[in-house]
Amino acid sequence: MISKEGAIRRFVEHYDMEVPPDLVEEEFQISLMDMRHRMVYAGMSGGPQLNPLEQRAALEEMKEELREAAYYNVKEELVMKELMKRDEFAVSPEELHEYAEEMVVKQNTDMEMIKRFFGEDLEMLETDVKRRKAEDWIYAQITE
């Protein structure tokens, strides 16, 4: 049986949508910078220390993989935003409260703290709940 993450990946890969190259390039540059920082940090924390030429060569080897990941990340976000606009993913106050309760348990905190951060009506959690619903819908589409 396919995992939810695998179902989402398959759905996103086959979803017909134009992906703006400028957004992919921006995501790619962020990923490249992040990988560069990870290499420097690894060297500082006892891992392999790469000189600038070795670092450049290692990054060059990763470029295609990072570019593909950037494309997928951008497309996934665009697909999810498009799906979340659907009426079938409306979120009730009860669902917001249930999600907040899950957060209370997961983060070992209390509802007062969650409401202080996300607002008394918990409306700031709506996007998270909609995304979860969209992910569940995708999983159902792939596994049926």
Side-chain angles (χ1 to χ4, degrees), residues 21-130:
D22 57 324
L23 292 179
V24 174
E25 182 61 26
E26 184 178 319
E27 179 74 13
F28 170 70
Q29 291 301 326
I30 290 169
S31 298
L32 204 56
M33 184 173 34
D34 180 56
M35 192 54 71
R36 196 174 290 126
H37 288 160
R38 288 172 187 256
M39 288 177 175
V40 169
Y41 181 75
M44 291 170 40
S45 61
Q49 292 186 343
L50 302 177
N51 68 42
L53 292 175
E54 292 170 323
Q55 189 182 80
R56 184 175 289 129
L59 287 171
E60 195 61 42
E61 285 181 29
M62 292 181 209
K63 273 190 176 179
E64 190 57 36
E65 187 178 327
L66 290 174
R67 194 170 295 284
E68 287 173 13
Y71 177 85
Y72 176 80
N73 290 340
V74 169
K75 185 175 182 183
E76 179 185 29
E77 194 58 36
L78 293 173
V79 167
M80 295 307 288
K81 283 181 180 179
E82 190 169 299
L83 290 178
M84 289 187 306
K85 287 181 185 176
R86 296 180 177 182
D87 287 338
E88 64 194 88
F89 300 126
V91 178
S92 70
E94 293 80 20
E95 289 171 315
L96 290 174
H97 189 75
E98 285 175 25
Y99 188 72
E101 287 289 342
E102 289 176 29
M103 291 179 75
V104 165
V105 171
K106 196 181 294 184
Q107 297 179 10
N108 193 28
T109 188
D110 57 45
M111 186 58 77
E112 182 180 315
M113 186 63 74
I114 296 292
K115 285 184 176 184
R116 205 175 310 152
F117 191 77
F118 293 106
E120 195 64 34
D121 59 4
L122 302 169
E123 194 172 304
M124 289 176 61
L125 295 174
E126 185 175 1
T127 301
D128 292 347
V129 176
K130 277 187 177 185

Side-chain angles (χ1 to χ4, degrees), residues 1-2 136-144:
M1 177 159 249
I2 190 168
D136 291 343
W137 181 86
I138 289 170
Y139 184 70
Q141 301 307 303
I142 296 297
T143 57
E144 288 180 350

